[in-house]
Amino acid sequence: GAVVSQHPSWVICKSGTSVKIECRSLDFQATTMFWYRQFPKQSLMLMATSNEGSKATYEQGVEKDKFLINHASLTLSTLTVTSAHPEDSSFYICSARDMRGSGVETQYFGPGTRLLVL
Amino acid sequence: QKEVEQDPGPLSVPEGAIVSLNCTYSNSAFQYFMWYRQYSRKGPELLMYTYSSGNKEDGRFTAQVDKSSKYISLFIRDSQPSDSATYLCAMSARTNAGKSTFGDGTTLTVKP
């Protein structure tokens, strides 16, 4: 099956620092990638839709200046949490849609990145 | 009120049991109904999806959708310890489901 990787898998940082998370589609190309956050025992909340070569579309309530998204190639999207604070601690998950399809069956999730801000 | 409500669990069953996982929803526009399995500290994996009402079977898994009641279910037959995970239902009005709405998940433990 299609594989999506995320790096790092976990990160601990001090309050005020910025953290970059990478999402890569390893064996397919993705014009669209999605970024979610998930709090313990809660559902995935879509933060933004990342489109290759254009600006990301953010969901209501998500600060675009705090969560910077770059989708520079068909296999890589990055999420940068700027000036991270303890309330940003969460599990961040990306997913990538294989550009050869459009249905839910062509959307693959990464393993997630656990962020802890001290 | 949330658009998607999922039975919170957790569920603990003996190996071989039949498991029923359920979600209700309020948005009549939902047409696509998905079930994901998520192991601890991992991303979700699509198990099954259905369009509109009806049943769909895949091996030990059966998904049911009742749009009139706004109720979906996932049944697992002959449950195995490897089925132990969190199961998330998700729904979308369109097939390009990046904007799917997810349930909070039900954690299942199958004991040998």
Side-chain angles (χ1 to χ4, degrees):
Chain A
V3 178
V4 176
S5 70
Q6 280 185 243
H7 178 80
S9 56
W10 60 272
V11 59
I12 301 174
C13 69
K14 292 182 179 180
S15 185
T17 60
S18 294
V19 175
K20 180 185 283 188
I21 302 169
E22 293 186 349
C23 176
R24 291 181 186 273
S25 57
L26 298 186
D27 49 3
F28 64 96
Q29 293 182 320
T31 51
T32 304
M33 293 186 175
F34 307 93
W35 287 96
Y36 301 83
R37 65 188 298 182
Q38 184 180 34
F39 292 106
K41 300 189 187 298
Q42 294 188 25
S43 62
L44 277 72
M45 299 298 295
L46 179 65
M47 299 175 65
T49 302
S50 167
N51 297 295
E52 187 267 339
S54 65
K55 291 183 179 180
T57 302
Y58 291 82
E59 295 300 301
Q60 190 174 8
V62 177
E63 299 177 58
K64 61 181 181 181
D65 294 330
K66 181 166 186 63
F67 299 100
L68 300 179
I69 292 173
N70 183 275
H71 192 154
S73 78
L74 289 173
T75 59
L76 173 64
S77 176
T78 60
L79 168 69
T80 301
V81 183
T82 62
S83 186
H85 292 284
E87 59 266 29
D88 298 322
S89 299
S90 188
F91 192 46
Y92 291 87
I93 303 174
C94 73
S95 72
R97 181 187 296 147
D98 190 328
M99 64 183 294
R100 294 168 294 182
S102 61
V104 297
E105 70 275 18
T106 62
Q107 182 182 5
Y108 305 97
F109 284 82
T113 296
R114 194 162 299 277
L115 170 64
L116 177 60
V117 184
L118 301 177
Chain B
Q1 185 183 1
K2 293 181 180 179
E3 275 191 303
V4 177
E5 298 276 2
Q6 184 168 0
D7 289 352
L11 282 179
S12 181
V13 302
E15 184 174 354
I18 297 174
V19 176
S20 173
L21 304 166
N22 308 295
C23 290
T24 58
Y25 64 95
S26 57
N27 189 344
S28 300
F30 288 145
Q31 298 268 38
Y32 296 87
F33 304 91
M34 291 77 75
W35 286 97
Y36 290 87
R37 178 172 60 196
Q38 185 176 22
Y39 292 112
S40 181
R41 301 179 188 274
K42 300 292 184 183
E45 169 195 12
L46 180 66
L47 271 179
M48 298 181 71
Y49 75 96
T50 54
Y51 171 71
S52 195
S53 284
N55 295 357
K56 187 173 185 178
E57 187 173 321
D58 184 1
R60 296 184 295 111
F61 298 88
T62 300
Q64 286 187 352
V65 175
D66 182 349
K67 291 190 72 179
S68 62
S69 302
K70 296 188 176 66
Y71 187 88
I72 72 169
S73 300
L74 177 70
F75 296 96
I76 307 174
R77 291 185 301 278
D78 188 25
S79 55
Q80 302 294 311
S82 57
D83 295 328
S84 298
T86 297
Y87 290 80
L88 301 164
C89 64
M91 306 175 190
S92 174
R94 301 186 301 166
T95 185
N96 52 338
K99 285 184 175 284
S100 299
T101 303
F102 286 80
D104 286 351
T106 302
T107 298
L108 170 68
T109 301
V110 181
K111 296 184 176 180

